[in-house]
Each structure stands twice: as C-alpha cells, then as structure tokens.
Amino acid sequence: MYKKKLSTALIVGAGLALTAASTTSYAANVPAGTKLAKVQDLVRGNRAEPATLDPDLIEGIPGANVAYDLFEGLVTQDANGNTIPGVAKSWQTKDNKTYIFHLRKDAKWSSGAPVTAQDFVFSFERAVNPDTASPYAWYLEESNIKNASAIIAGKKKPDTLGVKALNDHTLQITLESPIPYFVKMLVNSVMSPVYPPAIKKWGDKWTQPGHMVSNGAYELEKRVVGGRIVLKRNPYYWDNKHTVINQVTYLPDTDQTSSMNRYLAGEEQMTYAMPIDQYRRLKKEYPNAVKTTGELATYYYSFNMTKKPFNNVDVRKAISYAIDRNIIADAILGQGQLPAYTLTPDIVAGFTPITPTWETWTQKERVAKAKKLLKEAGYDREHPLSFDLLYNTDANNKKIATAVQAMLKQELGVNVTLVNQEWKTYLQTLHQGDFEVARESWSGDYNEPSTFLNLMTTSNAENDPKYHNKEYDALIRKAMTLTNDKERNELYHKAERMLARDMPVAPIYQFVTSRLVSPTIGGYPMHNAQDIVYTKNLYIKKS
C-alpha cells in the first residue's frame, strides 16, 4: 500500500500520476536553469517481482535494480558506466593484488550509524559463508579474493577471507593473484555492505519494512509482494543533498502490455521494457519517450548437458544451427538487437569477439548441417527429437520461444513443448537442473569479457548447462591473472572457440534496452552499458 494515494492529476504529454511531496535540493547533474516539478515521486517498472532484497541473496536483475537504490558499495557508476567513488572516496594498489580503500567518514546507515570497514568485512564474509547459501558466493571467488574458494568449499572459516579492516575507515582487500579490473567488479550488489545489527536482531526477516537498515540513497518504506516496492529518501545518505527524487515505487513489469498501458494512463513514468510488437508505433507516436540504448547482455538457450540427448554435442549444435537469429533480431524484436553467435557481446569495452565458422554460413547452410548432425545422432522426421523448452514469464520470451518452436519443427521435424514459469520458480528449476533446454540471459556484472566467459567454468553456480571442461577452466583462470589486455583477450578468444566447438549454450541475440521514459524525467543514462539506472541521479522537470 502507498503511504500516500496516487494523484489523478496528469502532466500533459508525459503520462504521470504523482504523489504529493516537494524538494528543495538539486542534484549535481541538474543543468543550470532547469525548473523542477514540485512533486518528485517516481514510479518505475521492474523486470519482475524480486525474489529477495538481501544483497547477498539477490540473483538476477529484478533484485539488483532495487538494491542499487537501497545499498551502496565501495564504488558505483556514473551515467556513462565509468567506475566512480561510492562509500570509498579513494583507493590504491601497487600490484593489482592488495587494494586499500579509504571510506568516507560521512557515509552512514539509514539508522544514522556510520558505515565502517568492519561492516564490509562482515558483509563479504557473510556472502562466502556456506551457511548463508548465497547464490552469488561464486562472484567473490571469481573476484579472486583470498581464500574465497576454500571458504565456499567448507575448507576454511569465513574469517580467513582476504578482507581486513585496518581501522574504522580503511579497508584492505587481498586477492589470490592480481586482477587489474578488480575495482570494476565491486559495483555488483553482492559487494554491497549489509548492516550487522539488523541481521543479528531479525535474522531472515531483516529485509522487511521497519527492519531493514540500508546505506544507499533510499530506504525501504513499504513492500507488497507481487504489487509494489516503495522506497523513500535516506536522510543520512552521505550525498543526500544532491538527491532530488523523494520517493521511488517499483512495479513488476512482467506483462509489458500492461506496463505500457500504465505509462500511457499516467500510472508509471518509466517502464522496464515495452511490447516488441508496439515498438514502431510507440517510436512514431512518442519519439521523445522511447529510449533505446545498447546493453551489456546476451540472450541464449542453455542445453542441460546432464540429460540425454543433450549430452551429445551433435544434438546441441543441430538445435543451435537451425535457429534463425536474423528473424528473431530483426523481425520479431526489431529494436536494434544484434544476432549473437558468441556468449560475449560486441559492446564489451576493449574487446572484439571472434567470428565462429558457423556464423559465416548462410542460414540454408546451417540448416543443412543441422539435419546431418541430427541424423548422425539418430533423429529425423521419422524418428523425431522431442524436448521441453523452459522460459520465464515475459511476452518477448514467449514470442521468441514460439518462433524457435516453429523453426525447429519446420526445418528439422523437432517437437518442442513450451514450459512457462514465474521468475522465482524458474530460477529454482534452473538450479535444480530440472530442465532440458532453457531460455537464459546474462547481463554483465562488470564491463569485461570474463563476466560472460566465467559463466561456463565448472565451479560457477550460474553454469546451468553443467559444462565441465578442465582446459576451459584453466584457460579462464590464467586469463584473469594477466595484466596485458592483448594477451588476456587472446585467451578469451580461445575460450569462445571452445564454446563454439562444444556448444553448451546457443547464443541468440545481443540486447538493447528499449523502454518508455517520460520526457519530464531528467538524468536518464543513455550510455551505461550495464543499464544501471540509479534513481538518485534522476529528477523530474516541470512540465
């Protein structure tokens, strides 16, 4: 429930319904002379209902979107995706192995207590502690923090993690081996601090309104599961004077047509996405509202390699080759998405993905090869392959799955049964391995190829295909230690060739972000490849 009811007054041409509040502060990024609306309350769409708001348990974009408003880690990002100071005002390293972070003395929790280096130690140790069962514990292992792997495996105690408070405002992080891009990795929500007293007092219930204590620009006011999440300004946030939006409400946008209608009716000012079949019309009728940007993300299908027949590489390749990516990217989506033939997207900074041999073939040639491979595996139209394709609730996912179902039936005689599940159930199904083929996507946790290629390492909890290749694992481990970008990229290219050979996943397309954003909203980032939209950097202009 809202603390204040939605107003019925609309701002002409923008589609806004706002709650009553006012602001006298001005964000640092508000251009001089800008006239701000008296009401600074934002209603924005989210991808789905978050399974949790606990930074150590968040898995997926829905939870992360809210967490970026509630919590702030050592570093954050600007509108262009550059890494900038967060709780840490500065940092240094001499060897890319030992990092020293100097915390702001005015950084505080929403309770008014100071944010300390000890809080970060507690939080990082909690994330790797097997008792926490964090689905993102692997991320600290991927970050190469000393002893993270051994702790996660239960071989060492959490307090041996390479994170140490030198004093209340100085944090030292020691890695197993050098990683030159380590600071970039600290933006992820699992690297956020959590408030020890709240967790010790409330246990699993610490994320409920009235219990949660956060250190970001906002604090949790209300939550209606399946309905809305309401955040209000955190007056103790160190940079609160530059925050303009007083209240932000998140609505689950699982039905993109409904979210579009809410926007047009003035009930939502920023959607998470939009119906693909309405894109061209909306672009024409609301050119100032449709925002399309590149995104550090890849859409793909995972093959469960532990189940027959997907333990056969010929079957995996046949299915992948027969999918016409150009039809999906251009005809079905048509918002600027690019066909994907590698797990790593083109938008990754300082990296150009390889061109697999099968990418150079015509679609006719791919289908011919697919038929041959499937025949060799024992399947044809007289003995058709049948399997279930799992996807989470989303209109676009359904359209793509339906198209793939038709393609495989027409070209190979394959029978595909579509299985739809809500987000939370879908995640559980994936991790239990209770699927044959599943729709997945990955949004980069940081702007570097390893955020994608690490997914297929044996120890990665997000390795849903269960791809196990010791050579691949060793290659990725070696790449992460190299400080020379050229040498590291060469190993990444080799990794992509191995994935093209073994096909644990079928890359489908490279994302763009297309959403409806009210023209009255200022500060919207058009060049953040990770699509991180911090509410604290937004403001509402007077119409």
Side-chain angles (χ1 to χ4, degrees):
M1 295 292 292
Y2 272 96
K3 183 176 181 180
K4 302 168 185 173
K5 293 183 179 179
L6 284 175
S7 166
T8 56
L10 302 184
I11 296 180
V12 179
L16 310 182
L18 306 171
T19 57
S22 62
T23 181
T24 56
S25 61
Y26 288 79
N29 62 337
V30 176
T34 300
K35 293 183 179 181
L36 296 177
K38 182 179 180 180
V39 175
Q40 291 291 328
D41 292 355
L42 174 68
V43 180
R44 58 183 285 188
N46 200 1
R47 185 172 188 172
E49 171 68 27
T52 178
L53 296 181
D54 185 333
D56 289 334
L57 299 181
I58 286 172
E59 181 183 21
I61 293 172
N65 285 338
V66 183
Y68 285 131
D69 280 348
L70 289 170
F71 300 93
E72 183 171 275
L74 295 166
V75 299
T76 182
Q77 288 185 354
D78 65 13
N80 294 320
N82 298 310
T83 304
I84 60 175
V87 174
K89 62 181 180 180
S90 63
W91 55 88
Q92 72 256 6
T93 182
K94 294 180 180 179
D95 56 5
N96 290 320
K97 183 177 180 180
T98 300
Y99 289 80
I100 304 295
F101 295 88
H102 304 282
L103 277 56
R104 302 177 189 276
K105 293 184 178 180
D106 57 347
K108 295 182 179 181
W109 294 98
S110 55
S111 65
V115 178
T116 67
Q118 290 87 346
D119 293 336
F120 278 94
V121 173
F122 173 89
S123 305
F124 283 31
E125 289 180 358
R126 178 176 182 259
V128 296
N129 190 329
D131 291 341
T132 305
S134 170
Y136 245 64
W138 63 267
Y139 189 79
L140 283 84
E141 181 179 18
E142 180 179 309
S143 303
N144 219 19
I145 298 177
K146 186 176 180 180
N147 292 334
S149 297
I151 296 168
I152 293 169
K155 297 178 180 178
K156 289 190 176 183
K157 294 183 178 180
D159 61 9
T160 63
L161 188 68
V163 182
K164 181 180 180 181
L166 301 183
N167 56 52
D168 286 352
H169 295 96
T170 308
L171 181 71
Q172 176 180 289
I173 301 180
T174 304
L175 310 184
E176 295 279 4
S177 55
I179 293 185
Y181 51 85
F182 173 70
V183 174
K184 287 184 178 181
M185 301 183 74
L186 294 171
V187 173
N188 191 277
S189 59
V190 77
M191 298 302 209
S192 302
V194 291
Y195 189 56
I199 293 173
K200 292 174 181 177
K201 180 177 181 179
W202 299 108
D204 293 342
K205 297 181 179 179
W206 80 273
T207 57
Q208 295 180 3
H211 297 176
M212 176 180 279
V213 177
S214 57
N215 75 316
Y218 296 87
E219 58 182 317
L220 181 63
E221 179 161 357
K222 291 186 179 296
R223 182 178 187 185
V224 179
V225 176
R228 60 188 70 234
I229 296 172
V230 182
L231 313 182
K232 64 179 181 179
R233 286 256 296 262
N234 172 12
Y236 291 105
Y237 178 58
W238 66 269
D239 200 29
N240 182 51
K241 66 181 180 181
H242 287 137
T243 303
V244 175
I245 300 293
N246 290 317
Q247 176 179 287
V248 53
T249 298
Y250 283 89
L251 302 178
D253 271 2
T254 52
D255 186 326
Q256 293 168 5
T257 299
S258 294
S259 65
M260 174 190 71
N261 290 335
R262 283 197 297 268
Y263 174 87
L264 296 176
E267 299 170 357
E268 188 171 321
Q269 296 136 281
M270 185 169 77
T271 67
Y272 178 77
M274 66 175 70
I276 51 179
D277 56 359
Q278 297 292 320
Y279 178 78
R280 291 177 177 83
R281 178 183 72 82
L282 293 170
K283 184 72 174 174
K284 180 179 180 181
E285 296 180 9
Y286 303 94
N288 295 326
V290 175
K291 304 292 186 184
T292 302
T293 60
E295 185 178 347
L296 189 70
T298 302
Y299 190 106
Y300 58 94
Y301 281 170
S302 285
F303 300 109
N304 190 336
M305 296 175 64
T306 68
K307 292 190 175 185
K308 294 181 179 180
F310 298 105
N311 59 340
N312 185 330
V313 66
D314 287 347
V315 174
R316 300 196 297 270
K317 285 185 175 180
I319 298 302
S320 180
Y321 292 170
I323 297 173
D324 192 329
R325 290 153 175 81
N326 286 303
I327 288 178
I328 292 173
D330 298 334
I332 297 177
L333 298 172
Q335 300 169 325
Q337 291 86 349
L338 297 174
Y341 301 91
T342 59
L343 188 56
T344 310
D346 295 351
I347 199 172
V348 172
F351 181 73
T352 302
I354 64 165
T355 302
T357 301
W358 64 282
E359 180 182 350
T360 65
W361 302 343
T362 65
Q363 188 58 30
K364 184 177 180 180
E365 290 172 331
R366 292 185 198 124
V367 170
K369 182 66 173 179
K371 289 179 179 177
K372 180 179 179 182
L373 291 171
L374 211 55
K375 181 72 173 179
E376 292 173 353
Y379 299 97
D380 54 26
R381 293 186 182 276
E382 286 68 41
H383 303 88
L385 169 66
S386 299
F387 67 85
D388 290 346
L389 173 57
L390 172 68
Y391 68 94
N392 60 291
T393 302
D394 179 275
N396 292 354
N397 289 341
K398 183 177 181 179
K399 285 184 174 70
I400 293 169
T402 301
V404 169
Q405 180 185 47
M407 291 174 188
L408 297 180
K409 181 66 175 179
Q410 178 179 329
E411 301 293 359
L412 304 179
V414 171
N415 300 313
V416 179
T417 299
L418 304 185
V419 179
N420 169 230
Q421 293 180 348
E422 294 298 323
W423 179 253
K424 188 174 182 179
T425 304
Y426 157 83
L427 288 177
Q428 292 173 344
T429 301
L430 282 179
H431 296 326
Q432 291 169 357
D434 190 20
F435 70 94
E436 293 179 295
V437 181
R439 180 227 78 95
E440 296 202 66
S441 60
W442 191 255
S443 295
D445 291 308
Y446 51 96
N447 202 337
E448 214 271 343
S450 60
T451 191
F452 293 93
L453 297 175
N454 276 327
L455 291 175
M456 295 299 111
T457 56
T458 299
S459 62
N460 196 306
E462 303 295 332
N463 181 356
D464 296 317
K466 299 297 182 276
Y467 177 60
H468 300 318
N469 186 313
K470 292 182 179 180
E471 182 184 358
Y472 183 91
D473 293 346
L475 188 152
I476 295 299
R477 283 197 300 270
K478 181 179 179 180
M480 291 179 65
T481 66
L482 297 176
T483 57
N484 183 287
D485 290 347
K486 182 179 179 181
E487 293 178 1
R488 191 165 64 250
N489 285 346
E490 288 176 355
L491 293 186
Y492 290 151
H493 285 154
K494 186 174 181 180
E496 284 284 13
R497 292 189 187 95
M498 293 176 70
L499 295 181
R501 179 195 69 196
D502 298 338
M503 201 68 75
V505 300
I508 305 297
Y509 69 85
Q510 299 176 28
F511 276 77
V512 295
T513 297
S514 292
R515 57 172 57 105
L516 289 162
V517 180
S518 168
T520 64
I521 293 179
Y524 182 79
M526 292 295 293
H527 303 288
N528 187 305
Q530 290 179 247
D531 189 36
I532 299 178
V533 183
Y534 298 98
T535 301
K536 68 184 180 70
N537 294 333
L538 304 178
Y539 53 93
I540 301 174
K541 297 174 286 186
K542 187 175 182 180
S543 61

